[in-house]
Amino acid sequence: MLPKAAWSLVLRKGGRGRRGMHSSEGTARGGGKTPRYTNCYAQRHYPMPEEPFCTELNAEQQALKEKEKGSWTLLTHAEKVALYRLQFNETFAEMNRRSNEWKTVMGCVFFFFGFAALVIWWQRVYMFPPKPITLTDEWKAKQLQRMLDMKVNPVQGLASRWDYEKKQWKK
């Protein structure tokens, strides 16, 4: 009962699930533009952001914007680059350059592999009981000799591969 009442209160107050009225400006809240945090950075798959990278300009940048309205042949290369940086955060070359994040990921992977190996070693040394005597080499040799003496499975098995006269394995 309580969760249902809480949801109805949230929906009535305009929390989760509220639907705004659409306006001609294109946003549900009627603010005119999309919020700055939604799409102000150019991305590889969408290179033209809705807002320029720098929205608040100082006097030098405003003068450069006024000069931009004139002929572009009068602009120097440095001014063109400065205008580009006002509009976009990164160039395509900067967007496409490789990052060194793989080094961090591989470092974390190897760290956790090493930690897991240390845990396994600690468990083998301090938690697991000692190996049973049946796994020692002497026990296995005695067991094999006993099976040969009893002639276990003489047609196709172990005893069929043992030469009882020469006391060695058949070749």
Side-chain angles (χ1 to χ4, degrees):
M1 180 67 186
L2 181 64
K4 189 174 182 181
W7 271 110
S8 66
L9 182 65
V10 167
L11 291 175
R12 193 176 322 129
K13 291 290 184 182
R16 301 186 98 185
R18 178 178 179 197
R19 294 177 185 228
M21 297 176 65
H22 293 284
S23 62
S24 61
E25 288 89 24
T27 61
R29 309 255 174 180
K33 288 185 174 181
T34 56
R36 188 172 192 284
Y37 55 83
T38 56
N39 192 10
C40 64
Y41 295 105
Q43 299 162 356
R44 216 177 298 147
H45 61 277
Y46 187 71
M48 301 295 286
E50 295 173 5
E51 290 187 7
F53 178 66
C54 293
T55 53
E56 293 143 6
L57 306 175
N58 59 22
E60 179 183 328
Q61 292 170 339
Q62 287 176 348
L64 189 59
K65 284 296 252 183
E66 289 298 320
K67 192 174 179 183
E68 174 189 25
K69 294 176 183 174
S71 175
W72 276 63
T73 56
L74 301 175
L75 295 173
T76 64
H77 180 69
E79 291 173 332
K80 291 177 185 176
V81 169
L83 283 171
Y84 183 86
R85 291 292 179 184
L86 288 177
Q87 186 68 28
F88 303 105
N89 182 29
E90 295 178 315
T91 64
F92 274 106
E94 291 169 347
M95 278 188 253
N96 293 331
R97 85 171 161 246
R98 292 184 172 188
S99 69
N100 290 330
E101 185 179 5
W102 68 272
K103 294 177 184 177
T104 305
V105 171
M106 292 304 293
C108 291
V109 166
F110 288 134
F111 172 77
F112 285 114
F113 277 159
F115 182 72
L118 283 174
V119 167
I120 291 170
W121 171 79
W122 181 81
Q123 286 178 343
R124 285 192 177 186
V125 171
Y126 295 107
M127 286 183 62
F128 294 149
K131 287 184 178 180
I133 196 168
T134 56
L135 294 178
T136 62
D137 289 335
E138 299 124 13
W139 185 276
K140 288 180 184 177
K142 288 178 186 178
Q143 183 180 16
L144 177 64
Q145 187 61 46
R146 183 169 179 252
M147 290 173 72
L148 290 174
D149 291 342
M150 290 178 14
K151 296 184 180 179
V152 174
N153 203 356
V155 178
Q156 292 181 352
L158 189 66
S160 67
R161 296 188 195 108
W162 181 256
D163 190 356
Y164 286 96
E165 295 170 0
K166 297 179 184 176
K167 303 275 187 196
Q168 63 183 3
W169 294 105
K170 293 180 182 176
K171 294 183 182 179

